[in-house]
Amino acid sequence: RPDLYAPAFRINSFLYGNSVDSADHNGNNAQKLYGECESLDEYLGMIDRVIAERKAAGCVCLKSALAYDRALDFKPRSKRAAERVFGKPKSNVAPDELKAFGDFVFDHICTLAARHDLPIQNHTGLGRLDGSNPVNLIPMIEAHPDTKFVLFHGGYPWIEETCALSHNYDNVYVDLCWLPVICTSACERFLRCLIEAAKDSARITWGGDSWLVTESYAGSLAIRNVVANVLSERIADGYLPEHRAKRLAERILNENARELYKLE
């Protein structure tokens, strides 16, 4: 149903494709999925080709669920650091070496995202909590100002940090995805914070994060409840006039995502 759905392309496996026996938390390996490569240069070219093919096939964004695999503290790495482990069996690669490879590949994917004009959706918050704070993404956010970083789940439990990122960086978008279901009161606090502190109401979106249509419908009811509660309060206390509150609801629930992902 392309009239109802547009696909995202998941990039986790690329960070675990240094050898054919490596895999992400879902058991996926990029070389097994998209073709084996003899060198790092060939591998990087394959990533570019696959992303271009997925965009041509209708994908409107890239998706990182890497917060389930590793910490989000990506750093710029040298190509030599990535080449050092490319093609080596998993048993011969130390965790810090694999992390350096993943850092280099994610940095490369951020560059490609800007080149192909595809936002990157980032799972933040609940996952591997020792490394899923969204502020860990600052080095990549600053290194790639032309790349749109969409931060999922409000970064829960780091909702104020996520709001601060939206305030400071014009290439950061926040997505209320899943948050109304995780903690309704936290979602309401987050939306209040965004209304007051975020510089651009056009960079607030939402999503159900559901497997089934019935769950998606329940998610839509949950977010509408949150938006209605918060905006009603803002109208009652005089912070927003009713017409502006209604317009903000339209943007959060529909128009912002249409603009971000270029949906018709």
Side-chain angles (χ1 to χ4, degrees), residues 195 230-249:
I195 290 172
V230 173
L231 294 184
S232 294
E233 292 174 359
R234 301 282 73 180
I235 293 170
D237 63 20
Y239 192 89
L240 287 174
E242 184 174 342
H243 73 278
R244 285 191 59 195
K246 288 182 177 180
R247 182 63 182 142
L248 181 57

Side-chain angles (χ1 to χ4, degrees), residues 16-35:
Y16 295 88
N18 59 297
S19 65
V20 294
D21 64 347
S22 184
D24 64 19
H25 72 278
N26 291 125
N28 292 319
N29 175 278
Q31 292 199 58
K32 289 182 179 179
L33 289 171
Y34 311 116

Side-chain angles (χ1 to χ4, degrees), residues 55-103:
K55 180 178 180 179
C59 284
V60 297
C61 62
L62 306 179
K63 167 66 185 293
S64 162
L66 288 161
Y68 288 115
D69 282 304
R70 49 156 291 168
L72 300 180
D73 57 343
F74 303 101
K75 301 174 183 176
R77 303 281 189 168
S78 68
K79 186 177 180 182
R80 178 171 295 183
E83 287 177 326
R84 192 173 296 128
V85 300
F86 190 81
K88 291 176 64 174
K90 180 180 178 181
S91 59
N92 292 344
V93 178
D96 60 332
E97 291 180 315
L98 182 60
K99 184 178 184 301
F101 176 84
D103 287 357

Side-chain angles (χ1 to χ4, degrees), residues 16-226:
Y16 295 88
N18 59 297
S19 65
V20 294
D21 64 347
S22 184
D24 64 19
H25 72 278
N26 291 125
N28 292 319
N29 175 278
Q31 292 199 58
K32 289 182 179 179
L33 289 171
Y34 311 116
E36 294 190 23
C37 300
E38 297 296 325
S39 68
L40 180 62
D41 284 335
E42 184 180 351
Y43 185 73
L44 298 176
M46 179 266 283
I47 295 175
D48 193 4
R49 171 182 59 79
V50 171
I51 289 176
E53 289 173 350
R54 292 302 182 272
K55 180 178 180 179
C59 284
V60 297
C61 62
L62 306 179
K63 167 66 185 293
S64 162
L66 288 161
Y68 288 115
D69 282 304
R70 49 156 291 168
L72 300 180
D73 57 343
F74 303 101
K75 301 174 183 176
R77 303 281 189 168
S78 68
K79 186 177 180 182
R80 178 171 295 183
E83 287 177 326
R84 192 173 296 128
V85 300
F86 190 81
K88 291 176 64 174
K90 180 180 178 181
S91 59
N92 292 344
V93 178
D96 60 332
E97 291 180 315
L98 182 60
K99 184 178 184 301
F101 176 84
D103 287 357
F104 177 81
V105 171
F106 188 79
D107 196 2
H108 179 70
I109 289 173
C110 290
T111 299
L112 296 179
R115 182 183 304 167
H116 294 288
D117 195 20
L118 291 170
I120 302 180
Q121 298 176 334
N122 295 269
H123 179 110
T124 62
L126 293 181
R128 299 185 59 160
L129 284 174
D130 58 339
S132 60
N133 189 320
V135 299
N136 284 323
L137 289 168
I138 287 177
M140 293 294 103
I141 292 169
E142 292 184 344
H144 300 278
D146 295 327
T147 300
K148 298 181 178 71
F149 291 84
V150 185
L151 308 184
F152 272 11
H153 321 312
Y156 182 84
W158 297 284
I159 56 177
E160 291 188 346
E161 287 85 344
T162 307
C163 187
L165 290 169
S166 174
H167 178 277
N168 278 21
Y169 298 101
D170 292 341
N171 59 332
V172 168
Y173 295 70
V174 296
D175 196 316
L176 303 173
C177 169
W178 196 28
L179 187 53
V181 178
I182 298 172
C183 183
T184 304
S185 61
C187 191
E188 292 185 354
R189 292 197 308 272
F190 184 47
L191 184 54
R192 291 188 193 99
C193 180
L194 289 170
I195 290 172
E196 295 179 7
K199 291 193 297 184
D200 188 352
S201 62
R203 289 187 279 120
I204 307 171
T205 62
W206 81 280
D209 204 350
S210 305
W211 285 101
L212 304 173
V213 171
T214 48
E215 291 177 332
S216 295
Y217 178 65
S220 72
L221 294 179
I223 188 61
R224 291 179 192 208
N225 179 63
V226 166

